[in-house]
Amino acid sequence: MKLYSINAGYFKLDGGAMFGVVPKSIWNKLNPADNNNMCSWALRCLLIEDEGRLILIDNGMGDKQDAKFFGHYYLHGDDTLDKSLAKYGFTKDAITDVFLTHLHFDHCGGSIVRDGDKLVPAFKNATYWSNERHWQWATEPNAREKASFLKENILPIKESGQLKFLSVNNESSDLSASDASRLTTHNSPLSSHLSFFTVNGHTGAMMLPKINYNGKTIVYMADLLPSVGHIPLPYVMGYDMFPLTTLNEKKAFLTEALENNYILFFEHDPVNECCNLQMTEKGIRAKDIFKLEELV
């Protein structure tokens, strides 16, 4: 097995929205804002080469949207999905599987590209993996979350015939009241070294991959913990649909991660790629900060 950190660029989001009830006087020290209160965030994906497959976890926001869209989100930086794949000798056509943690535009926007007046899969040889419960949540969105679920990113995946669903049948049907005391791990058909669990505070049935690598467990944090700065329990995004559910899920996960010495891989932290955890007088916090390549 080989693991590769794939940077699809950076974008900007409102700092207050990213840190919820935490005052700017505190969060601005973690990720300083510009004059418009916007902070830069990474679009960091993970590529897994294992058992004859190339599995890409998430794929950034893509570049097919109009100028008005990018005027809100400021895609910037020299990194792109194509350039980052090429760094390791890969192309999009080599990807066999695309694991989508959830269908917000900054996680799945690179799934679909424009080909003239058509919208087609960017990974023409890949199977796209979601789960049925989240797919329904995304394609029948509530008014508050609707702007994050863009039809042009989602519907063409199913229309292509390349979509498959992973089973999450053991979860509660009430997404807003899920029992976070036990984060059930599901096996994955993609690799014997890849499993996942679901959480429901940020959005319905978001999937977080767990990779067994040389006896270590690496967890792709998606939007449960977007950055190192979100490890303290009260640091919950204003974007989360069910903040108290997120709070409980964070507590359960961090306890499990500390006990089992998990390595956390951050999708959105613009500086810090990975960390492990330690208990401090303030609670569970990051211990060692490092890059994925230092581990592999």
Side-chain angles (χ1 to χ4, degrees), residues 28-40:
N28 199 51
K29 298 174 183 176
L30 302 173
N31 191 343
D34 63 19
N35 292 334
N36 293 318
N37 212 51
M38 306 289 280
C39 303
S40 283

Side-chain angles (χ1 to χ4, degrees), residues 108-146:
C108 77
S111 298
I112 299 296
V113 295
R114 295 192 184 278
D115 182 10
D117 59 353
K118 297 180 181 179
L119 292 169
V120 299
F123 308 93
K124 65 182 183 181
N125 298 315
T127 299
Y128 289 74
W129 297 91
S130 182
N131 70 73
E132 199 165 5
R133 293 172 66 232
H134 181 68
W135 187 267
Q136 181 177 358
W137 185 269
T139 55
E140 301 173 17
N142 61 74
R144 186 172 182 266
E145 203 175 2
K146 187 176 182 179

